[in-house]
Each structure stands twice: as C-alpha cells, then as structure tokens.
Amino acid sequence: MSGAARWTAAVLVVLVALGYAFWQELGDDGADTAAGPGATAQARDHRDADTPEALAGPRADADLAPCPAAGPGAGPEALRGISVECAGDGSVVDVARAVDGRTVVLNLWAYWCGPCADELPAMAEYQRRMGSQVTVLTVHQDENETAALLRLAELGVHLPTLQDGRRLIAAALRVPNVMPATVVLRSDGSVAEILPRSFATADEIAEAVSPGMGVPG
C-alpha cells in the first residue's frame, strides 16, 4: 500500500471513530429527554429545599391532625418495611403499624392534581361524619412537600398526611398509576377495595366505602 493510501485509511478510521462517539452522545441525550425534563436519577420523598426550617411555616399554616400512632401488631404485610414522613410534624411513620387495627381510607393525591383538590374537602367531611369508626389518611405522592402543605392550608383540609414522594405505598398496594385514588383497608389489614376514581361529595365516598367493604355505614 502506498503512503498516500495508508494516510487516507488512517483518516477514515479517525472519522469513523468520531462519528460513532457523536452518535452515542446523541443517543444518551435522547434517553435523557425521553425520561422528561424533571426526571431525577432516583425518586425522593421530598426536595432538598424542604428542610425542617423551610417547612415550619407551611406546617403551622396547614395545622394537620397527627398521623396515627402505631398499633399493637405488625400491620399489613404488603406495607411492612415502609417508613415515610408525617407531613404535619416531620416524624417518621411506620406505615404498616400506623394502619394496624384500624379501618383506614387511604387517599392518594398530589398538590398539582385538580380533581384531588376537589376531592380532599369531601374526604374531610366524610371523616367528620364517621368519627372514630374510620381513619382517613391522605398520602401526598410528589416530592414537593411545601406545595402539599400550602395546598392543604388553602383548602382548609387538616387530615393527617403522609409524605410519600417515592410512591412506595401505592406500589406496595398495587394501586393504578392515577390520582386521586382511594384504598380501603379493613381493620385486619386486608385491602377491601381500590378505587382509582375521584369523589365529589362525602355522600359519594360513603356510598363507595360501604359496610360490605369492611367500613360501617
């Protein structure tokens, strides 16, 4: 092979290598874009900005009811090992033990969800009607905890709230990826019903959460 031919071959090898590297970089950028502009490498329960100091004011404004204390048993097997923050005071809640021995209505929502905002006051009214027979426990499923507290304060809803930015509870209970969604847990920890729908009134909630589902009417 002549010197000119060897030089041409070397240039072609370099160009091919550069082209391949550029193609890989484009592929990586495309993958990042497909994941979404707000995507993070790992979901978090709340943002770095949601420090105890930053949350103190929104927590005072929201004035949420305390999260349930731990029951006597281990609670539903599906929820064991899941611990999240109580949005009202920042304490750590063992979810399985918190729902143990209670009839619980879990309401899964996010601050940016319009139907959720419409439904939360109805959930609060349903809790008021049912008293100690039922525990309505809301689960905020976005890492922006400050926004959740501000939304609850705006709505005047003071229900106990779990901050679950990683959506661990929904995943454990196999709740469809929609919001709002409601899960009814019997006092023995079994799932009575999963309701991937919104409710407009306390009457609608009472009709769906029926005695046949383990909840008194």
Side-chain angles (χ1 to χ4, degrees):
M1 180 181 293
S2 68
R6 285 196 297 271
W7 174 253
T8 300
V11 170
L12 286 174
V13 168
V14 171
L15 289 174
V16 169
L18 288 173
Y20 179 73
F22 181 67
W23 175 79
Q24 280 200 315
E25 183 176 351
L26 284 177
D28 291 342
D29 290 344
D32 291 343
T33 302
T40 57
Q42 183 176 0
R44 302 175 298 173
D45 274 336
H46 55 74
R47 306 172 306 159
D48 292 338
D50 293 325
T51 62
E53 294 75 18
L55 292 170
R59 280 177 174 154
D61 292 340
D63 190 25
L64 302 183
C67 291
E77 185 173 354
L79 295 173
R80 293 176 193 172
I82 298 177
S83 293
V84 298
E85 184 180 275
C86 179
D89 60 12
S91 61
V92 176
V93 177
D94 181 323
V95 179
R97 295 198 64 197
V99 302
D100 180 64
R102 296 180 171 90
T103 299
V104 177
V105 175
L106 290 173
N107 184 237
L108 282 55
W109 66 288
Y111 75 92
W112 43 260
C113 166
C116 300
D118 295 336
E119 180 181 78
L120 282 164
M123 283 287 170
E125 171 59 19
Y126 174 73
Q127 175 68 92
R128 187 192 67 78
R129 293 184 188 181
M130 299 305 295
S132 61
Q133 297 179 92
V134 171
T135 297
V136 178
L137 182 58
T138 88
V139 181
H140 182 243
Q141 299 192 122
D142 186 279
E143 64 181 34
N144 193 333
E145 187 172 358
T146 297
L149 292 165
L150 294 175
R151 175 66 79 185
L152 291 168
E154 174 192 349
L155 296 170
V157 171
H158 308 290
L159 294 169
T161 299
L162 301 177
Q163 172 60 26
D164 185 15
R166 292 176 290 170
R167 303 189 184 186
L168 299 177
I169 295 169
L173 297 176
R174 299 183 180 180
V175 180
N177 189 26
V178 297
M179 283 188 278
T182 296
V183 180
V184 182
L185 299 174
R186 300 185 183 93
S187 58
D188 64 2
S190 60
V191 175
E193 191 68 55
I194 295 176
L195 303 165
R197 53 163 291 192
S198 61
F199 297 98
T201 67
D203 288 336
E204 287 186 9
I205 298 169
E207 183 179 350
V209 182
S210 65
M213 294 160 58
V215 176

